[in-house]
Amino acid sequence: MAVTVTLEPAGRCRWDEPVRIAVRGLAPGQPVTLRASLRDEKGALFRAHARYCADAAGLLDLERAPALGGSFAGLEPMGLFWAMEPEEPLMRLVKRDVQTPFAVELEVLDGHEPEAQRLLGRAVHERDFLAPGVRREPVRAGRVRGTLFLPPGSKPFPGILDLFGSSGGLCEYRASLLAGHGFAVLALAYFRFEDLPEHLNDVCLEYFEEAVDFMLQHPKVKGPGVGLLGYSKGGDLCLSMASFLKGITATVVINACVANTLAPLCYKDMIIPELSYDLKKYTITESGFLNFVDIWGNPLEKTNHQSLIPLEKAQGPFLFIVSMDDHNWKSEVYAHIASERLQAHGKDRPQIIYYPGTGHCIEPPYFPLCRASVHAVLGQPVFHGGEPKAHSNAQADAWQQIQTFFHKHLNGKKSVSPSKL
């Protein structure tokens, strides 16, 4: 009997959806090694492997069979995806072109690595970033630069602005996936993209005000306000937007500071200085990576009071996604400061979700952990933290929590469909 690899659902599925992998036609109890690999748009190779044994009927079902070792161990049906590691160290898996899928090659080898050599079967699984009917529309409106993703349907949808961090450019993959869950999402660039400023020092809050107005005036965006989703530097920008701009209904920040960081932020006749930092306080890990978590000043110290973002001015609720092994920002401390400040001003405390063992770079589900990467400006490897399994579990849960929060506050829904995990 020929060995076959089957996938459910068959054919393409979304990157943030689980897939069931099974191997049929094996001998009873046969030891095998499964390998998964993909190449990104620049040709960088990412791969994972795990050792298994078929059951008494010669079937291997990854939802029932625990991995016996390899890139991970235990019952992990999606382990071959989240446990991938780059062939070249310090590479981070990102999707640069959301209009094409990632093609994941799955191979079954006889025996257990490193002895496993004979190829028994293979399959190619395509995982895409645009749900059926989701439209991708480049945005070049006034000064605003980005990409708008619109779900299928004639009615308007709750709108979200999605901001990434201090590397700049335009990242679309989170926005494109989120649009598949019923949101109109603007992936917003704010520097180092086309004719936008090259440096953060030249970015002002009026730019984001224009982006909010663009969304609220769009016929496919349901008002009266929009949501904000920001990661790292994009997170503190979202906090500033929520505090100073009109039309913000709900805000989610992922591992962000409660003070303005990295560059002064101007708005009309006001300047918010950046949080102080001392580069001499960096440390170096055993692997030789830079650890920046201790370089930042305390936002509560008198010298940094002007950099603190006045969250109490915001009109809507906050959700803080906090990695407890974040080695870029003291995210846990900052979330606590936010909670204390809001309550001191008679406001509702924010929703805070803490994830142990989780590093700085929280992505949609099944993206592998990036423990360290080369800094876009410094050109040096920077440590982000995290452990693969805990990080993967956190990403899956945070993705559901973000959707639930936005559906509740932008759409009046109490919950989303539960995770298939």
Side-chain angles (χ1 to χ4, degrees):
M1 183 176 177
V3 173
T4 58
V5 181
T6 60
L7 303 164
E8 295 180 17
R12 284 190 183 185
C13 73
R14 259 27 81 226
W15 179 268
D16 61 342
E17 295 177 347
V19 63
R20 186 169 186 171
I21 302 171
V23 182
R24 291 175 169 80
L26 298 170
Q30 181 176 353
V32 293
T33 298
L34 266 61
R35 293 195 308 209
S37 62
L38 68 81
R39 289 188 183 274
D40 69 9
E41 288 93 339
K42 292 188 175 182
L45 178 65
F46 295 79
R47 53 191 176 186
H49 73 278
R51 298 184 287 273
Y52 293 93
C53 285
D55 66 13
L59 170 66
L60 174 61
D61 182 348
L62 267 59
E63 286 198 354
R64 299 179 181 178
L68 305 177
S71 302
F72 58 94
L75 188 62
E76 299 290 344
M78 292 295 289
L80 289 170
F81 297 89
W82 61 253
M84 283 188 183
E85 294 183 351
E87 180 183 46
E88 181 180 338
L90 306 177
M91 297 292 291
R92 177 178 175 181
L93 182 62
V94 297
K95 192 71 178 80
R96 295 173 177 87
D97 180 6
V98 299
Q99 298 176 94
T100 61
F102 270 144
V104 181
E105 183 178 41
L106 299 167
E107 296 177 311
V108 183
L109 297 127
D110 187 23
H112 285 163
E113 285 196 339
E115 289 77 20
Q117 292 182 350
R118 186 166 64 97
L119 181 66
L120 300 176
R122 66 183 294 273
V124 175
H125 172 51
E126 292 190 334
R127 298 179 68 77
D128 61 25
F129 288 77
L130 287 173
V134 170
R135 287 186 292 157
R136 176 186 178 274
E137 297 184 354
V139 174
R140 307 294 183 270
R143 292 183 296 174
V144 178
R145 302 289 180 266
T147 306
L148 179 62
F149 294 92
L150 296 171
S154 57
K155 296 181 180 180
F157 300 92
I160 298 171
L161 283 75
D162 183 24
L163 281 69
F164 271 75
S166 59
S167 295
L170 178 62
C171 294
E172 298 183 355
Y173 58 91
R174 188 169 62 195
S176 67
L177 290 172
L178 203 51
H181 297 277
F183 301 99
V185 189
L186 174 63
L188 184 65
Y190 53 96
F191 79 116
R192 286 196 193 129
F193 180 75
E194 295 185 353
D195 58 350
L196 292 176
E198 184 65 21
H199 305 288
L200 273 172
N201 294 61
D202 300 317
V203 176
C204 62
L205 204 54
E206 282 89 347
Y207 172 77
F208 301 99
E209 190 170 39
E210 193 172 331
V212 171
D213 290 342
F214 166 81
M215 287 291 281
L216 290 175
Q217 293 169 17
H218 198 285
K220 298 294 289 183
V221 174
K222 173 185 177 182
V226 294
L228 304 176
L229 173 58
Y231 155 76
S232 195
K233 173 59 188 175
D236 77 61
L237 285 170
C238 285
L239 295 179
S240 292
M241 293 166 68
S243 300
F244 291 106
L245 305 182
K246 296 179 180 179
I248 309 301
T249 300
T251 303
V252 177
V253 295
I254 302 170
N255 293 329
C257 187
V258 287
N260 179 55
T261 63
L262 299 177
L265 182 63
C266 301
Y267 182 53
K268 298 180 179 177
D269 58 352
M270 174 188 65
I271 298 177
I272 309 172
E274 75 269 34
L275 181 70
S276 66
Y277 60 91
D278 183 356
L279 285 175
K280 296 178 182 178
K281 292 184 177 180
Y282 77 85
T283 58
I284 299 179
T285 69
E286 292 181 359
S287 301
F289 304 144
L290 300 179
N291 187 340
F292 284 143
V293 74
D294 291 324
I295 73 170
W296 306 106
N298 182 350
L300 297 180
E301 288 182 353
K302 188 174 181 180
T303 54
N304 285 316
H305 277 186
Q306 294 301 312
S307 70
L308 266 174
I309 300 166
L311 304 178
E312 67 277 3
K313 293 184 178 181
Q315 298 301 307
F318 294 99
L319 167 60
F320 284 78
I321 302 292
V322 174
S323 293
M324 297 183 71
D325 195 33
D326 184 355
H327 284 264
N328 294 96
W329 300 105
K330 296 180 180 179
S331 301
E332 185 178 359
V333 173
Y334 300 149
H336 179 73
I337 292 173
S339 181
E340 292 291 311
R341 182 175 183 117
L342 287 168
Q343 291 180 80
H345 285 84
K347 298 279 189 170
D348 291 338
R349 68 175 63 189
Q351 182 181 351
I352 305 173
I353 306 176
Y354 299 97
Y355 292 108
T358 306
H360 181 66
C361 308
I362 290 189
E363 303 273 24
Y366 314 125
F367 273 93
L369 167 67
C370 177
R371 298 195 77 221
S373 64
V374 177
H375 194 278
V377 177
L378 299 175
Q380 298 291 321
V382 174
F383 185 55
H384 305 306
E387 295 298 330
K389 177 172 169 50
H391 195 87
S392 174
N393 291 341
Q395 289 186 156
D397 185 74
W399 192 238
Q400 294 292 127
Q401 296 283 357
I402 290 167
Q403 293 174 53
T404 297
F405 182 82
F406 280 136
H407 275 304
K408 176 182 178 181
H409 296 290
L410 299 179
N411 220 6
K413 293 182 180 179
K414 291 186 178 180
S415 65
V416 298
S417 56
S419 169
K420 298 178 182 178
L421 287 174

